[in-house]
Amino acid sequence: MCSEIIQVDVLIPTHTKYLDLIGSIGERIVKELDNYSGDKDALAYQLNLVLTEATANVIKHAKDEHNENSVRIRIHLHDNILDIKVFDHGQGFDLNKVPEPDFEDPKENGMGLFFIRSVMDSVTYSRVGDQNVLEIIKYLN
């Protein structure tokens, strides 16, 4: 059971040098979960991976036609629901058309969404106003 309320809102430049920072924020949030009864080390690893991969995808793929060179990440924990939103201003994509990785012929790229979907409970991508939102949810029961 986890009853804490945590909200973190981060805006970083679109540079890969900030990926470690974003991943470490996820790990640090897990350390604050005093009432979480699950495996904290596993959850910390998962959040680091998810935040790093989601942010890297924005930096790599979401070219901003308005030249807004930043990525906004919002992490909200409430009622045992960890809700991560990653905002971008790129052209967007259809999440349902992203293929599964080819494990017979693995490539260096194309694993991020697979990893995110594998360790989280819900992944959606939608257009909201003038931005795209990748929403990633983990239930902490």
Side-chain angles (χ1 to χ4, degrees):
M1 184 84 177
C2 178
S3 60
E4 290 94 347
I5 298 173
I6 298 173
Q7 181 153 333
V8 177
D9 206 335
V10 180
L11 184 67
I12 62 165
T14 53
H15 296 286
T16 56
K17 69 180 181 181
Y18 296 104
L19 292 176
D20 283 347
L21 172 65
I22 293 303
S24 67
I25 289 172
E27 291 180 354
R28 185 70 175 99
I29 287 172
V30 172
K31 288 183 181 178
E32 297 299 322
L33 302 178
D34 294 331
N35 298 322
Y36 179 63
S37 60
D39 184 340
K40 280 187 164 185
D41 290 337
L43 182 60
Y45 175 80
Q46 292 171 355
L47 283 187
N48 185 326
L49 175 71
V50 165
L51 289 166
T52 301
E53 290 293 338
T55 305
N57 282 344
V58 170
I59 291 170
K60 184 173 183 180
H61 300 291
K63 304 296 182 203
D64 181 2
E65 65 188 43
H66 303 293
N67 202 26
E68 293 187 30
N69 297 318
S70 60
V71 180
R72 179 177 170 220
I73 300 111
R74 193 188 87 190
I75 305 165
H76 186 175
L77 174 68
H78 184 63
D79 291 336
N80 296 321
I81 300 171
L82 179 62
D83 185 358
I84 299 169
K85 291 182 179 171
V86 180
F87 301 87
D88 74 72
H89 292 87
Q91 67 182 18
F93 66 97
D94 186 341
L95 184 64
N96 295 321
K97 292 185 177 177
V98 176
E100 294 286 317
D102 181 359
F103 294 107
E104 299 297 321
D105 185 25
K107 307 282 190 238
E108 184 176 325
N109 296 318
M111 299 294 287
L113 280 173
F114 173 77
F115 289 140
I116 293 169
R117 286 175 164 156
S118 297
V119 299
M120 302 303 274
D121 296 309
S122 172
V123 180
T124 60
Y125 187 77
S126 60
R127 185 85 179 167
V128 178
D130 66 343
Q131 59 190 349
N132 303 302
V133 182
L134 177 68
E135 184 171 25
I136 307 162
I137 295 176
K138 177 89 171 175
Y139 301 106
L140 304 178
N141 295 323

